[in-house]
Amino acid sequence: MNSHVSPTSARIVAIGGGHGLGRILSSLSCFGSNVTGIVATTDNGGSTGRIRASMGGIAWGDTRNCINQLITEPSIGSMLFEYRFRGNGDLNGHNLGNLILTALDNLCIRPLEAINLIREILHVETQILPMSEHPTDLAAWLPDGNIISGETSIDELQQIPKRLFIEPSVPATKEALMAIKEADLVLLGPGSFLTSIMPPLLLSDLAHELKICRAPVYFIANLDKEKGPAGGMSLETMLYWCERAMGGRKIDGVLSDKHRPELNETYDQVVGEFASRNHEWRHDRQKLKNAVEGLLIRR
């Protein structure tokens, strides 16, 4: 980080998907609009998947999840945003927030305008940016040479894919590129590695911006082993995948609940007790905030 920038005015960019990214963004909500979340938009499961299958567009589920975790004062508006329909009809399982964002997207010139309108209504200061405003899907090359498409299919794999890509190739949101360019710290994760952290890194222009950015890049390791194919990947392998996607740009450090002796000594390992009291697999917001502030002070 630039030595002339104080931690309170530092610009932080966090990249990932719904649950994990929402956790780190809510941990840093005191930084207000100086924090930007770049959200994966390739989900094709659940309510989001059904909407995409019938109407197209980007996936809204992870964005909705992040906004929900940033709501500090519950209200009728926030309850409506998270309302999920139950019953036997076509609306069963649909989240009203996803439908609202889809409707706003159809009314607005850009998906980002829909997000900003919801942020304004729900008093969310943190910047939320879709990784791209163009629809695309996550796909994977398998070791046997076959290709599968869709996050849900990748989550169900019994083996680690050889490589991921997005199809079709789409540009990153221009505001996301600018946020990375101006960042004092970039955070990857926590969250589902293959389907939350990796998709934004597969955008060529976003990956290039990460490659040349002046800010240090830190990876936040999960506290529990993932289900699905990512559960068979070591942290060392995950870092390699991120660095490969970023054109060889080395990750500067790792936030983890234990020391990882297998990692190259060039990685700055920030080790701490990050688990929430209620859920050992979930990061405690205050502990995450303290660790990130420590990174800003040290830079």
Side-chain angles (χ1 to χ4, degrees), residues 23-234:
R23 198 69 175 174
I24 185 66
L25 292 179
S26 61
S27 301
L28 303 175
S29 59
C30 63
F31 286 84
S33 59
N34 281 347
V35 174
T36 299
I38 299 176
V39 191
T41 57
T42 50
D43 187 14
N44 70 326
S47 169
T48 295
R50 289 166 58 194
I51 292 171
R52 292 190 71 193
S54 62
M55 301 190 66
I58 65 173
W60 288 111
D62 284 353
T63 297
R64 188 206 78 246
N65 196 318
C66 287
I67 292 174
N68 180 57
Q69 292 194 57
L70 285 162
I71 296 169
T72 55
E73 297 182 10
S75 62
I76 293 295
S78 65
M79 287 190 287
L80 280 172
F81 194 61
E82 270 305 295
Y83 180 78
R84 191 174 295 274
F85 292 94
R86 302 296 180 194
N88 298 320
D90 291 340
L91 286 176
N92 179 42
H94 269 305
N95 183 284
L96 183 56
N98 290 340
L99 296 174
I100 291 172
L101 283 164
T102 302
L104 287 173
D105 185 18
N106 290 339
L107 292 170
C108 296
I109 297 173
R110 299 178 61 191
L112 183 55
E113 291 181 355
I115 296 171
N116 287 339
L117 180 58
I118 290 295
R119 284 178 52 233
E120 184 177 345
I121 291 171
L122 299 178
H123 308 292
V124 170
E125 290 187 44
T126 304
Q127 306 284 343
I128 304 291
L129 304 174
M131 72 177 205
S132 177
E133 296 182 284
H134 301 269
T136 188
D137 285 298
L138 187 65
W141 278 297
L142 305 184
D144 62 9
N146 287 324
I147 293 176
I148 62 167
S149 181
E151 283 193 10
T152 54
S153 299
I154 291 169
D155 279 333
E156 294 170 357
L157 286 174
Q158 301 300 310
Q159 56 188 329
I160 300 170
K162 191 173 182 180
R163 199 153 184 164
L164 297 175
F165 63 100
I166 57 169
E167 182 62 32
S169 177
V170 294
T173 307
K174 60 183 180 181
E175 287 83 356
L177 301 179
M178 184 57 66
I180 294 171
K181 184 189 297 288
E182 297 178 346
D184 296 299
L185 177 66
V186 175
L187 302 170
L188 303 178
S192 303
F193 179 72
L194 294 175
T195 55
S196 290
I197 298 172
M198 281 302 299
L201 305 187
L202 299 174
L203 299 171
S204 58
D205 47 359
L206 191 147
H208 176 72
E209 204 60 58
L210 285 169
K211 179 180 179 180
I212 63 174
C213 77
R214 62 185 176 86
V217 178
Y218 275 74
F219 186 95
I220 305 176
N222 289 334
L223 300 176
D224 197 9
K225 191 174 183 178
E226 278 192 61
K227 297 178 180 178
M233 301 176 73
S234 67

